[in-house]
Amino acid sequence: MFVVSRDVFQRFLGSYPQVADQIAEKVAERKEELVQRQKMLREMGILGDDDLDNNPLVWIKQRMKSLFGI
């Protein structure tokens, strides 16, 4: 793992906005895996029905816009 300063990452994403979309898509894929596991836990009665039922791709893109102003 490595660290990139916020300013550098913001400039990078500003220059290559398609990368932000690709990052969001990959994170959404991982989120979908989590959703499937949550579904299984709900079916088993271990997890409640009131957890993260929104579109993860929209949430990720909104969060990136909020954090990096893109």
Side-chain angles (χ1 to χ4, degrees):
M1 182 168 256
F2 57 93
V3 176
V4 178
S5 75
R6 183 180 190 273
D7 293 337
V8 170
F9 197 56
Q10 183 175 9
R11 280 192 307 244
F12 175 77
L13 292 178
S15 297
Y16 302 96
Q18 70 277 12
V19 173
D21 289 339
Q22 291 173 349
I23 291 170
E25 288 174 17
K26 289 299 179 184
V27 172
E29 288 174 14
R30 301 291 189 243
K31 175 68 177 173
E32 183 58 32
E33 291 175 21
L34 175 62
V35 167
Q36 292 301 320
R37 296 190 195 300
Q38 286 175 333
K39 180 181 175 186
M40 181 182 71
L41 293 172
R42 284 184 185 124
E43 290 170 355
M44 295 171 64
I46 297 172
L47 193 62
D49 289 331
D50 58 348
D51 297 311
L52 299 176
D53 291 326
N54 56 359
N55 183 331
L57 187 57
V58 171
W59 179 86
I60 294 163
K61 285 183 177 182
Q62 288 174 341
R63 185 71 176 143
M64 289 177 74
K65 284 181 184 179
S66 148
L67 289 172
F68 301 108
I70 58 170

